[in-house]
């Protein structure tokens, strides 16, 4: 079994040695799996107490104090028009750096960090783009047994309401 695993890893290294690898943080929202470029992720934390901000867009959950820094927290399921799930022990906030702003995104769970060959990316199928604004998506990554929706987090946070989010 170990030999088979090593053989697969060696084959993957040969295949991907000459092409670009995307390193992604994989997280869940509802039944879907999403990927986010690891270079944009600052950290992943449990959900602390969140202070609401009056008159903010519905997808802005509020702000948190993270080691003395105030971070705006958005609800990705609300942003995508998905059904909201109650937070549980698996729920997390992915803290991401976008240009000079830091924002937190509430997700149902974070499962892994994955390397994905760029050749496995495809354009967003229309069925997905009809449910989630296609501008928020970079594409779909194909794995052997599953598909990952790759986010363009800058557009998720800024599109349609660049001046409505309060960056602290």
């Amino acid at each position: 079994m170990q030999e088979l695993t090593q053989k697969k890893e060696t084959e993957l290294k040969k295949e991907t040695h000459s092409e670009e690898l995307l390193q992604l943080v994989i997280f869940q929202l509802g039944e879907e799996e999403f990927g986010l470029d690891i270079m944009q992720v600052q950290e992943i934390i449990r959900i602390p107490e969140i202070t609401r901000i009056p008159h903010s867009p519905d997808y802005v959950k509020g702000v948190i104090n993270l080691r003395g820094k105030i971070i705006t927290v958005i609800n990705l399921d609300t942003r995508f028009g998905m059904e909201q799930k109650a937070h549980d022990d698996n729920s997390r906030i992915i803290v991401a750096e976008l240009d000079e702003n830091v924002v937190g995104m509430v997700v149902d769970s974070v499962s892994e960090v994955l390397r994905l060959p760029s050749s496995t990316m495809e354009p967003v199928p229309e069925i997905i783009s009809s449910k989630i604004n296609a501008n928020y998506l970079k594409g779909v990554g194909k794995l052997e047994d599953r598909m990952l929706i790759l986010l363009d987090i800058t557009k998720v946070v800024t599109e349609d309401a660049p001046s409505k989010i309060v960056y602290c």
Side-chain angles (χ1 to χ4, degrees):
M1 181 71 168
Q2 189 176 13
E3 288 178 14
L4 183 60
T5 303
Q6 288 175 337
K7 186 176 180 181
K8 281 187 175 183
E9 286 178 7
T10 304
E11 288 173 9
L12 180 63
K13 284 179 185 175
K14 285 179 185 174
E15 288 175 13
T16 58
H17 185 65
S18 62
E19 70 176 294
E20 184 181 344
L21 283 176
L22 305 171
Q23 205 166 5
L24 306 167
V25 173
I26 307 303
F27 63 91
Q28 286 70 38
L29 276 179
E31 298 296 315
E32 306 298 331
E33 272 191 307
F34 292 84
L36 180 61
D37 184 346
I38 198 166
M39 295 307 291
Q40 293 180 304
V41 176
Q42 187 174 339
E43 61 187 297
I44 299 166
I45 60 172
R46 292 185 183 275
I47 299 180
E49 185 175 330
I50 299 174
T51 304
R52 298 275 315 148
I53 301 173
H55 308 292
S56 60
D58 61 346
Y59 62 91
V60 175
K61 191 141 179 87
V63 294
I64 60 171
N65 182 343
L66 184 63
R67 293 184 297 283
K69 188 167 185 174
I70 304 302
I71 309 288
T72 302
V73 177
I74 65 171
N75 224 347
L76 284 182
D77 50 8
T78 304
R79 183 68 166 142
F80 295 155
M82 300 171 72
E83 186 177 326
Q84 285 190 17
K85 179 183 165 196
H87 300 309
D88 60 24
D89 289 341
N90 294 320
S91 300
R92 296 288 184 268
I93 292 178
I94 298 175
V95 179
E97 199 167 332
L98 311 170
D99 298 321
E100 290 155 25
N101 298 309
V102 178
V103 68
M105 298 163 288
V106 176
V107 299
D108 294 343
S109 64
V110 176
S111 58
E112 62 187 309
V113 173
L114 188 68
R115 291 174 193 246
L116 186 69
S118 59
S119 64
T120 63
M121 282 205 32
E122 293 204 358
V124 180
E126 192 169 321
I127 187 91
I128 293 174
S129 62
S130 67
K131 293 183 178 183
I132 298 174
N133 184 339
N135 294 334
Y136 299 161
L137 310 177
K138 287 184 178 178
V140 176
K142 298 181 299 184
L143 296 172
E144 286 180 20
D145 57 344
R146 65 192 216 241
M147 305 281 270
L148 301 172
I149 302 168
L150 306 178
L151 289 184
D152 184 339
I153 200 60
T154 303
K155 288 183 181 174
V156 170
V157 172
T158 60
E159 191 166 290
D160 295 331
S163 61
K164 291 182 184 175
I165 288 188
V166 178
Y167 290 108
C168 300

